[in-house]
Amino acid sequence: MRLTFLGTTSNNGNCPTLYATDRGTLVVQGYAVTDPLAREQLRDLLPGEDAVEIPRELLQHLR
């Protein structure tokens, strides 16, 4: 899979970051959701899937 950088809300190289793939999908880099109460509210989380938290401002980079 090839990633194309779309944008970030970080000024110092930290998360979060948004990428497009050559498969027509998106990759979101962010902080893992580790709060047990929040994780209980995730629907149908499959093996190999995870949830990350990003600021809404990151979505401005969607094209």
Side-chain angles (χ1 to χ4, degrees), residues 5-49:
F5 172 80
L6 295 179
T8 184
T9 56
S10 172
N11 293 326
N12 58 4
N14 293 332
C15 303
T17 306
L18 186 63
Y19 304 89
T21 74
D22 61 347
R23 302 190 309 192
T25 59
L26 298 169
V27 171
V28 178
Q29 176 183 340
Y31 294 106
V33 175
T34 58
D35 179 276
L37 292 175
R39 289 189 69 81
E40 286 177 8
Q41 297 173 65
L42 295 171
R43 296 182 179 194
D44 304 319
L45 193 64
L46 299 174
E49 290 184 334

